Amino acid sequence: MLLASVYAHAAPSFCQVAGSYRGVYSGNTDSGTLMAVVEAADGTLRGSAMSADGRQFAFGGVIAGDGSFSSGSVATGALFVGRFASATGGQIAGQGDWALGGGQGGRWQIVRESIPATCR
């Protein structure tokens, strides 16, 4: 997924990235699906992941005004870093890297599926 542009400045709200997202993560030792919600008021992201082997874990973080993102999972210690921006076709998407101790890690990407009514 090619991200076409990034946010140049902070907005008074996070409607540019707010909404519900779905996507995937993959890596050398684990892969699975991601679901997340980004709040319009403050850019807070709350998400859950399901590994291909059925394990589930929650993760969360905050999207900065420039679209950058850093998150963690208390349950697993996984770290997600990346960026949210306009993607090809005008969709909003997030993508980046994830890492876990012991050399585990890989890439993640999610695409916005819905926009909150307060942002329409």
Side-chain angles (χ1 to χ4, degrees), residues 13-116:
S13 77
F14 285 82
C15 280
Q16 292 173 314
V17 293
S20 298
Y21 289 79
R22 285 191 185 268
V24 296
Y25 71 97
S26 61
N28 54 355
T29 60
D30 192 18
S31 64
T33 59
L34 299 170
M35 292 187 304
V37 173
V38 176
E39 299 295 331
D42 59 7
T44 300
L45 181 145
R46 290 177 186 83
S48 63
M50 178 175 280
S51 178
D53 66 9
R55 292 177 291 141
Q56 292 183 316
F57 64 91
F59 63 97
V62 176
I63 299 171
D66 68 354
S68 62
F69 175 71
S70 181
S71 168
S73 169
V74 174
T76 65
L79 176 65
F80 291 79
V81 294
R83 180 165 301 281
F84 282 73
S86 296
T88 304
Q91 289 184 310
I92 299 298
Q95 70 177 12
D97 299 308
W98 67 274
L100 187 61
Q104 299 179 62
R107 299 282 298 159
W108 64 269
Q109 64 181 29
I110 58 178
V111 175
R112 184 164 66 178
E113 292 189 321
S114 67
I115 301 168

